[in-house]
Amino acid sequence: MSGTRRRFFQDAAVFGAGLFGMSARLQAQAPEGGATGAAHQHPAHSEHSAHPAEKNSLAAPPMVTPDVPDLPYEMDGAVKVFKLTAELVKRKIAPFKTVDVWGYNGSCPGPTIQIQQGDRVRVIFENHLPESTTVHWHGLEIPIDQDGVPWISQQPVAPGGKYVYEFTVHQEGTFFYHSHGAMQEMLGMLGFFIAHPEKPYRPHADHDYGIILQEWAVLPSNTVPNSAGMEFNWLTFNGASAPAITPMIARLGSRVRLRIVNLGMDHHPIHLHGNQFVQTGTEGGRAPESSWYPMNSVLVGVAQARVIEFDAKYPGAWMLHCHLPHHMMNNMMDLLSDRQIQTANQSDARALSQMQTLANTVGFEHVHHSPIADNPGDVKGFPQDAFMEMGMDEAVAKPETYGLPANWSAQMMGMMTLVRVLPDKDYDEIMARKKSGAAPEKHEHHHES
Ligand SMILES: [Cu+2]
């Protein structure tokens, strides 16, 4: 048998395995299941291992957007047909904060659209908002009449109106769709548009996650963000603020891809703890491997997409967060309401009692803060961080938080999440819990007094 012929059969065998993984994915109707399947096929992928079938576009795991659904589609002949509706959305960005924002199909950010490079795509768009809007396909090279700019490339879609977009996507990469009205963008009108490549990326990634960065200016006791405001007090990944953001789970030994999109007013330096990564793509598509170099922070500018990848070699709950200090905070004014917390010259017991009172008003079961000194008021500058921490593990518990140390949520605020690199046993346990919808674990917390 010639080398070429042997290679063909090897590829065919792996191709079959890839298809099996895909059909399991489709049956499960859960993107994470796909990542699991892929990870099973490639438990410890290296840059040198064979990719399942060079031409098999199904081999790429679908991207998972934590806390945001995918937009389903139906086939009309060879055309993928999506239904996208702009509408008012209620979004719980933290356990004690729900905002009235604008988005699509009940989600803000809007649901993720995933297609294959080369696909013909039809988007039947309806406007359920009280004002006109359009949909712009950011970064796609499509005809001008599909560009979604009111008055210039099309008539605005009036309230109650409908517009059908249809185009062929010849590119691959991380794109997004958004309203072409700046104020509507700031009220949440954007979503991912992922074009998976015809020729799979190398090296193969087992996990593919997407994060949309947004900023909100919400006055205390209000629910509608001030879209003209320049002082942002809520910072979100995929429409949630830490610790309400669902952690990303990766199997130890797998390769992880993260795609990050920013369409706000600030640039965000996103930092990953404990790992180096390479930037493998931008809003323009895949970057050549010759351009990759080690990094652990990536600046995601406004209107940009940044794609990074790393081999998950180190077990642990690794923080992924914007490193702007004010973007690592939540706004506690909603808890304080008309009260002010007196933090200076406090004893630990009095401070804890105050925090407990606050927590009770929003139904938290417990609250911790980090230890403070006996006479903290003697030190200029106190207090700084101690009273910003508010543990709320149970209020944000889900399968992806299973097994985290008690009070993990006290350290999580704003644009911050975890990439949990887990050995097989722990990874499989969480996947099983996701599948079965198991109740979140309860931590036993005890206050030392
Ligand atoms: Cu930031």
Side-chain angles (χ1 to χ4, degrees), residues 165-233:
Y165 295 92
E166 184 165 331
F167 46 81
T168 302
V169 179
H170 72 86
Q171 296 153 276
E172 52 72 27
T174 305
F175 306 99
F176 42 108
Y177 61 90
H178 61 82
S179 153
H180 213 272
M183 310 293 273
Q184 293 180 352
E185 290 170 10
M186 289 307 292
L187 218 52
M189 298 187 65
L190 80 155
F192 270 115
F193 188 104
I194 301 298
H196 292 284
E198 273 170 1
K199 188 180 173 187
Y201 298 136
R202 283 175 177 278
H204 171 82
D206 305 288
H207 302 282
D208 194 337
Y209 284 109
I211 294 172
I212 287 178
L213 313 173
Q214 288 170 284
E215 305 127 347
W216 311 95
V218 195
L219 290 171
S221 304
N222 276 254
T223 61
V224 182
N226 176 4
S227 55
M230 296 287 284
E231 292 195 0
F232 304 104
N233 53 351

Side-chain angles (χ1 to χ4, degrees), residues 61-91:
M63 189 186 79
V64 173
T65 319
D67 305 309
V68 172
D70 274 2
L71 189 62
Y73 63 85
E74 288 173 4
M75 297 303 295
D76 178 12
V79 184
K80 277 184 182 159
V81 183
F82 295 88
K83 288 180 179 160
L84 189 68
T85 301
E87 61 190 4
L88 179 75
V89 172
K90 275 203 185 298
R91 186 78 187 182

